[in-house]
Amino acid sequence: IGLGVLIRYRHPRAADLLVKISLWSLLVTLVILFILTGTMLGPDLMAHIPASVYAIAVLMPLAGYALGYGLATVFKMPPHCRRTVSLETGCQNVQLCTAILKLTFPPELIGSMYMFPLLYALFQSAEAGLFVLAYKMYGRDSYKQDTLGEEEDTDISYKKLKEEEVADTSYGTVTTEEHNSIQMEPTQTAL
């Protein structure tokens, strides 16, 4: 993460290119992983998985995406935050599930149980990909954010704050009216 932040700070265009390359390589790697898993485990094992496990693997990510988006809407979050909460809620930690299975059950029993995290990862990735693709194709215009007015400046950086040298008035303002007289005017702050 630190290396990514450094590259983004020093070379923003290179960072954009690296993000595109890494996303495509991740997609290709996931497709290869799913193909290899399916061929190595064989169609026999896939056929022995009950239909209810397939249904749960399909519906669980969808429920997470819908619940995340719905709760973000209830709490009146902006559209870009709603999408983020939706994807973060729907994409659960498959690696944690796999580790729990490996540490809890003996290897003889894991065979069929190990298929659920793989199916879940497959369907959550496919569904997330479909949502992102649909957003890229159809939803971008409907979620345009309001542009800021000319009087609103959103450039918040340490350099900018240092240049402005804004006085800290959180405890009040000290004023001097005469040479030997100092007055403290308290300020009302709300947290």
Side-chain angles (χ1 to χ4, degrees), residues 51-63:
S52 61
V53 173
Y54 281 105
I56 292 170
V58 169
L59 294 176
M60 213 161 119
L62 287 175

Side-chain angles (χ1 to χ4, degrees), residues 148-167:
L148 297 173
E150 303 235 353
E151 70 279 352
E152 296 182 70
D153 186 11
T154 61
D155 182 19
I156 299 173
S157 65
Y158 177 74
K159 184 178 177 184
K160 176 120 174 128
L161 289 174
K162 192 165 182 146
E163 288 171 358
E164 291 177 0
E165 292 186 27
V166 177

